[in-house]
Amino acid sequence: DIGLATAQLGEVLGELNYRNLDDEPAFAGVNTSTEFLAKVIADRLADRVGAGAFGAGARGLAGITVTLHESHVAWASYERDV
């Protein structure tokens, strides 16, 4: 369900947007690189899939890929199983 997926992604990103991530206790001592953030987002989305937040249609979902673009030439991607 694209509506549920959009809402879940928005919630996950809302936890990260407009914050100094170096001040977040969950990221203490971690280099919050684009690669790291792609993994965090993928992991949080996968957790939500497992909890049923994406609805019944996501039960057969095998994996998630998150790609973050810093610019038109700089990006990072993370892929994981659900």
Side-chain angles (χ1 to χ4, degrees):
D1 181 314
I2 193 69
L4 286 175
T6 299
Q8 292 302 312
L9 178 59
E11 288 182 21
V12 168
L13 294 178
E15 298 167 356
L16 302 170
N17 284 343
Y18 303 107
R19 289 181 169 78
N20 180 349
L21 298 178
D22 294 329
D23 293 338
E24 293 292 318
F27 303 140
V30 176
N31 178 5
T32 54
S33 65
T34 303
E35 295 83 358
F36 174 79
L37 290 175
K39 180 185 183 313
V40 167
I41 293 166
D43 289 345
R44 290 182 181 184
L45 289 172
D47 289 345
R48 288 168 181 248
V49 169
F54 282 74
R59 286 191 188 126
L61 191 63
I64 291 177
T65 301
V66 172
T67 302
L68 302 178
H69 292 265
E70 293 182 54
S71 72
H72 68 285
V73 295
W75 58 273
S77 191
Y78 184 81
E79 183 176 338
R80 61 156 290 170
D81 293 336
V82 176

